[in-house]
Amino acid sequence: MHSRKNINSMRNKLFLGLDGGATKVLAQTCEFDLKSTLITPNGKHIEYSYNESNNFDSTFKPTRLLQQQKEAKKNKYTFSKEEEKQSSSIIDTIVKIILSSVKNNKISHVGLCFPGIKTTNFDGISIMANGPRSIDMLSQLNQKIKSKLGHRLSIKTIYDDSECCVIGEIKSSLGKLKNCKNAIYIGGGTGIADGIILNNKIIDIKNHKELKRSWELIMPNHESVEQCLSLGGMINQWNSTKNIPVSGTIELFNYARSGDYFANNIIEKAAKAFTFLIEKRIKFFQSHNTKPEKIVIGQRLGNLLSDKNNPLSKLILKNYNNQIPIEISTDRRTAAIGAAYKANENIK
């Protein structure tokens, strides 16, 4: 039996969840409720853009993906000065947001999730499609945190952002997947966060022989689901062909509304990619003699689709005739909350 004092001392433990994206980092303080075993956000989240850091270069171009994959395979890396500088500006921003978050709080543990393929020890980023690599990210972060806070806090590992999105939806008091036995999660932002819950278990898609992630799923047009369905992918398609760049999908949708053939083509491909992805996922459930209870769409893609009037929502709903209900998650803090939950799990 826990004594009342013991429960309270646990409950007052605060965890900081950090979600690093392509352009900014989001921080959310959370507390863990022993009774419900759910994690709850405590107060408002904060966000810092990397471009607030002096070193950040908004025109930075990542090393070609094929080159990155070669170097990661050999474990021999060549970083340009620009890549190192870009990486250090991201690290500085993460440190800054941690210091800002711990100022008035008794935060005891920090969890960080980040996109990209991690190093074998989960202490760095070895492949990054939309930003700089950083193979010693963790040691750089902890060194800088230590110089400011002593031994008060350290980050143990870098979590996968897709997994943290799913955990945030399952284990958060605000999550759309709590008490859900079988479900599909699709989070869309710069890339796609893939999630599957089968018989109450989160499936590790990257190590599963039957499953492919969105960037590995190739559609009949020879493009990946991620290239077509992620917001980053849609913008890249436009910007690599048109000489008037767009900074976001809203601008792209405006072009589509005004009848631009190319913008409408991008949106049609995104809707097809959605249907293609769902069909693949449903087949997986069928091979395990079950079907998903729901599909949850989150992150910025969720925010977009919560507006039923934009061209992508209309097309997806028109094409989608499956019986599985779709729920939209518009809470942008989900991955950060998932990272805080993992930090709590890793204490044990």
Side-chain angles (χ1 to χ4, degrees), residues 2-52:
H2 286 289
S3 71
R4 169 73 48 205
K5 192 176 166 197
N6 205 355
I7 283 180
N8 284 339
S9 69
M10 271 299 289
R11 186 165 292 160
N12 292 340
K13 255 190 187 156
L14 289 181
F15 296 84
L16 181 66
L18 301 169
D19 171 23
T23 56
K24 57 182 180 291
V25 60
L26 182 151
Q28 174 66 57
T29 307
C30 302
E31 51 188 318
F32 191 71
D33 184 352
L34 275 178
K35 207 163 136 205
S36 68
T37 70
L38 293 173
I39 195 156
T40 309
N42 180 306
K44 285 193 172 79
H45 72 283
I46 55 173
E47 284 178 279
Y48 284 3
S49 287
Y50 303 136
N51 62 15
E52 290 168 32

Side-chain angles (χ1 to χ4, degrees), residues 210-229:
E210 282 176 71
L211 284 164
K212 286 181 172 167
R213 289 172 283 181
S214 286
W215 58 271
E216 298 166 309
L217 276 174
I218 306 301
M219 291 162 49
N221 69 359
H222 307 301
E223 289 176 298
S224 74
V225 165
E226 184 170 79
Q227 279 172 303
C228 296
L229 185 58

Side-chain angles (χ1 to χ4, degrees), residues 39 41 44 91 117 175 247 260 267 310 337 342 345:
I39 195 156
K44 285 193 172 79
I91 287 164
I117 307 288
S247 56
D260 184 282
I267 290 164
N310 74 48
I337 295 169
K342 294 232 0 146
E345 250 188 350

Side-chain angles (χ1 to χ4, degrees), residues 270-285:
K272 279 181 183 154
F274 178 80
T275 308
F276 183 83
L277 176 60
I278 296 301
E279 282 168 1
K280 291 282 183 203
R281 297 296 187 237
I282 288 171
K283 273 184 188 146
F284 169 75
F285 280 95

Side-chain angles (χ1 to χ4, degrees), residues 306-336:
S306 64
D307 170 11
K308 298 279 181 283
N309 289 318
N310 74 48
L312 183 60
S313 306
K314 284 179 176 169
L315 254 188
I316 280 181
L317 293 169
K318 194 173 129 190
N319 290 359
Y320 181 76
N321 51 14
N322 211 291
Q323 295 310 300
I324 297 154
I326 292 177
E327 276 186 34
I328 303 289
S329 167
T330 54
D331 201 317
R332 288 188 10 258
R333 301 170 299 171
T334 324

